[in-house]
Every structure is written in C-alpha cells, then in structure tokens.
Amino acid sequence: MNAYKVQLVQELKPHDHPMRFRFAQWAEDRLIEDEHFYRKIIFSDEAHFHLGGYVNKQNCRIWGSENVHVIVEKPMHPQRVTVVWCGF
C-alpha cells in the first residue's frame, strides 16, 4: 500500500474559460510588444484565514495499491479573511 495526496484544484465555472483565454491573449500581446514585459510584473504575498471547512492536503492521505488521482474542487471565493502585502 502507498499513501497518495489529494490534489486541490480551483473550481472553474463555465464563464471562467473565456476570461482566462482573454487574459492569455492579452499577456501574449504584451510579450510581443515588449519581450521583457514579464520583468515588469509585481509579485506579492498573501495569507488566508478560512472561515469554513478547509482541506489540508499535507495531512490528508489516501492509502491504496494504486494512485486513484483524487481531485477535490474548491470554490474560487470561499468565505475567508485575507491579509495581503506588496512591495515595489
């Protein structure tokens, strides 16, 4: 028997796909205009304090003779408090 981790993925709604495609097209256009565009992106960090149920994939294992590829979809906007910081 082996221990397998649960894979957490963002729950995607049907209206999310066109928005993701538009963003990918926009980012590709910016890279065509300026090959160093990716260097101008500002990164930040955040911490989430969940107000409801939460699956900690570090502590959740599925034991079996083969990987069953368990996927748990999570809502994109669960109830939580978020602390964000950003630096320029």
Side-chain angles (χ1 to χ4, degrees):
M1 300 288 272
N2 294 307
Y4 298 99
K5 285 186 178 181
V6 172
Q7 181 181 359
L8 300 178
V9 297
Q10 178 178 317
E11 180 182 36
L12 294 175
K13 305 289 186 191
H15 67 277
D16 292 328
H17 297 284
M19 290 174 22
R20 289 167 51 122
F21 185 74
R22 280 195 306 273
F23 174 78
Q25 285 180 316
W26 173 85
E28 184 179 31
D29 291 343
R30 298 299 78 75
L31 284 169
I32 290 170
E33 292 172 5
D34 178 3
E35 66 182 51
H36 299 291
F37 173 71
Y38 68 94
R39 293 181 181 173
K40 299 175 183 175
I41 298 173
I42 299 170
F43 293 95
S44 65
D45 197 6
E46 57 190 31
H48 304 290
F49 299 92
H50 295 266
L51 303 177
Y54 175 71
V55 176
N56 182 348
K57 70 177 185 172
Q58 298 301 325
N59 298 330
C60 184
R61 299 288 188 271
I62 296 176
W63 289 87
S65 57
E66 57 186 60
N67 192 344
V68 293
H69 301 286
V70 171
I71 296 174
V72 175
E73 287 188 346
K74 296 171 44 177
M76 185 173 173
H77 304 290
Q79 288 187 328
R80 64 185 176 196
V81 176
T82 303
V83 178
V84 178
W85 69 265
C86 177
F88 292 89

